[in-house]
Amino acid sequence: MVTPPSDTRDPSRKFKVYKDTVEVVIAPHDDNHDRKSDLDEYPVAKKRGIKELVLLVFYHLKKHTGVGLVCAVAYFDPGNWGVDLQAGSEYGYSLLFVVLLCGLFAILIQCLATRLGCVTGLDLASHCRILLHSRPKHTKLYRWFGLYPLYVVSEAAIVATDLAELLGSAIAMCLLFPRLQLWHGVLITAFDVIFVLALGDPLRGRPTKYFELLIGAMVFAVLICMCIIIAKIDVNWGDTFFGYLPSKYIIPNGALYTSVGILGATVMPHSIFLGSALATQDRVSPPPVVPDDSDGESFVYTNPFFRAVRAVKRATVSAFKIPPPSEYATTVTRHCDRENKTSEFIKKHLYHGIIDMAVSLLGFAVVINSLILILASAVFFYGSNGAAGSDSPAGLFEAYDLIRDFIGQGAATTFAIALLAAGQSSSLIATVAGQAVSEGFLNWRTSAVVRRLVTRLLAVIPSMAVAIAIGKPGIDALLVASQVVLSICLPFVIAPLIYLTANKNIMRARKPTVGIFPPGTTEAEMYRQDVETATSEGEDFSSNRITTIVASCIWVLITLANIYVLVSLGMGTA
């Protein structure tokens, strides 16, 4: 603990007190001083013009945009494509309401993850370890029947996610290059880690802008490709907008099972872990100055080309090295042994992060999922000849073939490019989320390449076996199975998130307080009162009661949906 200031301190000064530190603010106190005259000395704030407002908005977008786009990728991965195509081909526009509703569920869950990471400075996986690893009573019971099973479930969700991304990317490669066999596409898309993760470690204390820009470019590529395809088909927009309204058509016509599939494929466990980890980053403070280690050869790298080559070389080498622990990593075993973020940090990041997350999910994830379902409805359900209904649910291969036959090769190629961009971007997110899960639960941090290869190896083995033995029908079945696994894992991830964000002790920020002490107060008394005041008056950032109730209802709904899916699969009625 930092020792209190010396006796030479002026007792009339103000103090900003944190848990272990005291910051002196030079502000002499005078009881007879006129406070109103002080306010008159400050200049009156001028109204901002349009130019200043535009620059201010651009500044905030530049600083805080990124995490929402990264998390939004998980919500239109190839698993979502398969479910949306099936929903649109079988039930037309009527399930657009389910897509919108699941998108709103995802926004609430992701905003809770953002709140947890921003306030506490720890990701969800680390909180689970602190909560379950060293309980004062029944320690081994909590550890072996709570923490480790939760870690296994989380890793299973990561592998199932990577399996879906791998299959989607492999299918896209085969569609773009017809001479490739399906297992060729699986192998090609399995070795993309070195070229992308060389951009830097996204889990370090500061945001990796190159990584966020790459993911953002892929998101815009998917959105633009889908808009181009939709523009080339005949869509009844009146019926489309009616599809966003609740309808009794869902339950009696057998659409409930597909609706459950949309729910399970929309809210993704790995995105929750990643969102809480990225929310801990400082996006406002200037970056630290990195010393120049060019050893007298800086003149060689004045050329932008050589500078870029050097950066790529360093990043590629670092991808094989074990990175240092993240700035938010901790080895404590109790929440009371660590500090949360200060109120100043939280207020600078939390609400910007929530807006970024909500706008990204609503503006990209919900829109792209809706466009996929609209595409399947217009092409399969209604058809070019006006026939309603579809004999069988559409898959990725069937969608490509029908788009090529009835719209054109250009639209079909655009569809495959969008699928490839969605698969690759989602795959990168799954790898980074896996790193956050292993480090948070077990304090195990390895190189990006090793982590990616281990996850990919677990996904490649079943993919290769099914692709070689069964072919396209087996790939479609494996893609659906991966979404079932994700749906089953989801309640186990959401439950601790709801509990942690509703806990006032865990979500209380360290708010600095300012105290003025009369002359004659001893130094020890000043220090004790300041610390006690800062501890008792920390600002509470926990979720309110309404948010907690709504989130709990979502958890119950997802759990019941999973039970329904498992019972339907067991009875063979799915």
Side-chain angles (χ1 to χ4, degrees):
M1 176 178 292
V2 179
T3 57
S6 62
D7 293 335
T8 59
R9 186 179 67 177
D10 186 358
S12 63
R13 294 178 179 178
K14 295 180 180 179
F15 302 91
K16 288 184 179 179
V17 182
Y18 301 88
K19 182 177 181 180
D20 295 326
T21 60
V22 177
E23 180 182 350
V24 181
V25 180
I26 308 298
H29 172 63
D30 185 2
D31 294 333
N32 299 322
H33 190 68
D34 188 4
R35 296 180 180 269
K36 185 176 180 181
S37 62
D38 286 343
L39 298 177
D40 296 336
E41 296 178 3
Y42 291 96
V44 179
K46 298 181 180 179
K47 293 184 178 180
R48 291 191 177 101
I50 297 178
K51 181 179 179 181
E52 288 78 7
L53 289 176
V54 171
L55 292 177
L56 181 63
V57 171
F58 177 76
Y59 170 80
H60 285 288
L61 289 176
K62 179 182 177 182
K63 288 290 186 180
H64 297 282
T65 301
V67 178
L69 285 175
V70 171
C71 294
V73 168
Y75 295 93
F76 52 85
D77 66 335
N80 290 78
W81 284 58
V83 175
D84 292 335
L85 289 173
Q86 177 183 354
S89 62
E90 289 187 312
Y91 305 104
Y93 303 125
S94 59
L95 295 187
L96 284 172
F97 167 73
V98 179
V99 172
L100 177 61
L101 186 64
C102 293
L104 296 178
F105 289 171
I107 290 174
L108 177 61
I109 299 301
Q110 284 293 157
C111 287
L112 289 180
T114 300
R115 179 179 293 272
L116 178 67
C118 184
V119 173
T120 64
L122 279 181
D123 63 313
L124 177 59
S126 299
H127 275 291
C128 292
R129 177 176 54 82
I130 296 176
L131 194 65
L132 299 173
H133 186 272
S134 300
R135 303 285 297 182
K137 295 182 179 180
H138 310 293
T139 304
K140 292 186 177 180
L141 183 66
Y142 279 102
R143 189 178 300 173
W144 287 99
F145 292 94
L147 178 64
Y148 296 148
L150 184 58
Y151 170 70
V152 172
V153 169
S154 302
E155 286 288 2
I158 300 296
V159 174
T161 302
D162 201 52
L163 175 63
E165 328 308 7
L166 177 63
L167 294 175
S169 299
I171 292 173
M173 291 291 294
C174 294
L175 296 178
L176 290 173
F177 305 99
R179 292 192 176 185
L180 290 178
Q181 296 292 329
L182 192 56
W183 64 274
H184 293 157
V186 171
L187 284 180
I188 292 174
T189 54
F191 294 99
D192 57 353
V193 57
I194 300 175
F195 302 102
V196 180
L197 294 184
L199 296 173
D201 182 13
L203 294 178
R204 61 186 181 183
R206 301 193 60 84
T208 306
K209 281 298 181 181
Y210 289 116
F211 178 79
E212 294 176 354
L213 288 174
L214 175 65
I215 298 299
M218 291 186 176
V219 171
F220 277 99
V222 176
L223 180 61
I224 292 173
C225 290
M226 291 307 303
C227 290
I228 292 174
I229 297 174
I230 293 297
K232 295 184 177 182
I233 62 177
D234 184 17
V235 179
N236 188 336
W237 292 107
D239 294 341
T240 300
F241 289 116
F242 275 111
Y244 287 106
L245 300 178
S247 173
K248 62 181 181 180
Y249 179 81
I250 296 176
I251 297 178
N253 289 276
L256 183 59
Y257 180 81
T258 306
S259 301
V260 172
I262 295 176
L263 177 64
T266 300
V267 187
M268 306 295 284
H270 71 286
S271 182
I272 299 173
F273 286 112
L274 184 61
S276 63
L278 295 180
T280 63
Q281 296 176 336
D282 185 0
R283 309 182 72 89
V284 176
S285 303
V289 179
V290 180
D292 185 16
D293 56 350
S294 55
D295 299 331
E297 298 182 0
S298 58
F299 66 91
V300 179
Y301 301 103
T302 56
N303 188 302
F305 174 75
F306 289 106
R307 221 170 30 237
V309 171
R310 185 192 189 203
V312 171
K313 178 181 177 182
R314 284 187 170 185
T316 304
V317 173
S318 64
F320 289 88
K321 296 180 180 179
I322 298 178
S326 303
E327 292 187 11
Y328 63 80
T330 180
T331 57
V332 301
T333 57
R334 297 185 303 173
H335 282 98
C336 60
D337 293 336
R338 59 173 307 277
E339 289 184 353
N340 286 347
K341 297 287 188 178
T342 62
S343 298
E344 182 182 5
F345 176 92
I346 296 170
K347 291 178 179 178
K348 286 181 178 179
H349 291 79
L350 177 59
Y351 304 109
H352 289 91
I354 290 177
I355 293 174
D356 173 45
M357 187 67 65
V359 171
S360 297
L361 292 182
L362 194 61
F364 291 99
V366 174
V367 170
I368 291 175
N369 279 293
S370 299
L371 292 178
I372 297 172
L373 192 145
I374 292 171
L375 168 66
S377 300
V379 175
F380 286 93
F381 188 79
Y382 296 101
S384 58
N385 56 357
S390 179
D391 295 336
S392 60
L396 295 173
F397 290 105
E398 293 81 3
Y400 177 85
D401 293 336
L402 201 62
I403 292 172
R404 180 193 59 198
D405 296 338
F406 289 94
I407 302 177
Q409 182 62 48
T413 303
T414 306
F415 174 83
I417 293 174
L419 178 61
L420 180 62
Q424 289 301 100
S425 56
S426 302
S427 181
L428 298 175
I429 299 305
T431 300
V432 178
Q435 183 70 69
V437 167
S438 60
E439 183 177 4
F441 276 101
L442 304 178
N443 272 331
W444 173 52
R445 188 162 174 80
T446 183
S447 69
V449 174
V450 172
R451 172 71 209 190
R452 181 60 174 272
L453 292 180
V454 170
T455 305
R456 267 294 160 95
L457 184 62
L458 295 176
V460 164
I461 292 175
S463 302
M464 288 289 294
V466 173
I468 295 175
I470 304 177
K472 295 180 181 180
I475 290 295
D476 290 335
L478 193 59
L479 194 61
V480 173
S482 67
Q483 302 308 300
V484 174
V485 173
L486 288 174
S487 180
I488 295 173
C489 296
L490 186 58
F492 297 98
V493 177
I494 296 180
L497 176 65
I498 297 174
Y499 169 78
L500 290 167
T501 52
N503 192 311
K504 296 183 181 297
N505 294 325
I506 296 176
M507 297 294 290
R508 188 176 296 277
R510 183 67 55 180
K511 181 181 180 181
T513 57
V514 178
I516 300 176
F517 303 95
T521 306
T522 63
E523 178 183 351
E525 182 66 20
M526 281 189 258
Y527 189 77
R528 184 185 64 80
Q529 292 182 10
D530 284 342
V531 172
E532 288 179 355
T533 304
T535 304
S536 61
E537 295 185 359
E539 193 167 356
D540 180 24
F541 286 94
S542 62
S543 303
N544 56 48
R545 185 171 299 178
I546 296 177
T547 303
T548 303
I549 292 175
V550 174
S552 301
C553 292
I554 294 175
W555 181 86
V556 172
L557 179 62
I558 294 175
T559 303
L560 293 177
N562 286 332
I563 295 174
Y564 173 78
V565 169
L566 293 177
V567 172
S568 299
L569 290 175
M571 297 177 62
T573 59

